[in-house]
Amino acid sequence: MFGGGGMNPRKMKQMMKQMGIDVEELDAERVVVETADGDLVFDGPQVTKMDAQGQQTYQIVGEPEEVADAGAGGAADAIESGAAGDDATASGADPADDDGIPDEDVALVAERAGVPKSTARETLESHDGDLAAAIAELE
């Protein structure tokens, strides 16, 4: 759009405001991006939120660490709202892993105890799927 190569940052901000673009810096401590292949964890990133004509865009600047499962619990939030469980069933996928522990139980324990899903699954297995006992042990 416009490079801003030698433009005064104050003037740039004023122009963006005139165009209806609102930019806000967020004080983020950690950002987790969950993907099918693993998770990207940004510790101490610079996060900018831009609102242009009602459409919000987030920009993350930082060096991510690739991990298998960050245990952020995003799936658990969707389960509590009823979204993820319905999607898994509607697509014909079995929401439980081979061990008989439902994925939504694993996500719930991981979120409540603040641990990765793999740890939550192992603890649930050792307690024969008892959610309360697994959470109590991990806390």
Side-chain angles (χ1 to χ4, degrees), residues 7-18:
M7 188 173 282
N8 178 343
R10 191 170 166 201
K11 181 150 177 102
M12 176 77 83
K13 197 169 189 176
Q14 182 183 20
M15 285 177 60
M16 291 176 72
K17 187 170 181 111
Q18 287 175 347

Side-chain angles (χ1 to χ4, degrees), residues 20-89:
I21 300 172
D22 184 33
V23 178
E24 176 184 354
E25 293 289 326
L26 301 179
D27 187 24
E29 295 176 14
R30 180 177 183 213
V31 175
V32 178
V33 178
E34 295 179 350
T35 68
D37 298 330
D39 298 346
L40 298 174
V41 179
F42 294 82
D43 283 317
Q46 177 185 359
V47 179
T48 306
K49 175 180 143 184
M50 183 168 55
D51 190 351
Q53 299 173 353
Q55 182 71 37
Q56 294 180 351
T57 304
Y58 294 84
Q59 178 180 1
I60 304 166
V61 178
E63 196 63 37
E65 176 185 347
E66 293 184 33
V67 296
D69 183 12
D77 293 338
I79 289 168
E80 288 180 4
S81 69
D86 296 338
D87 291 344
T89 312

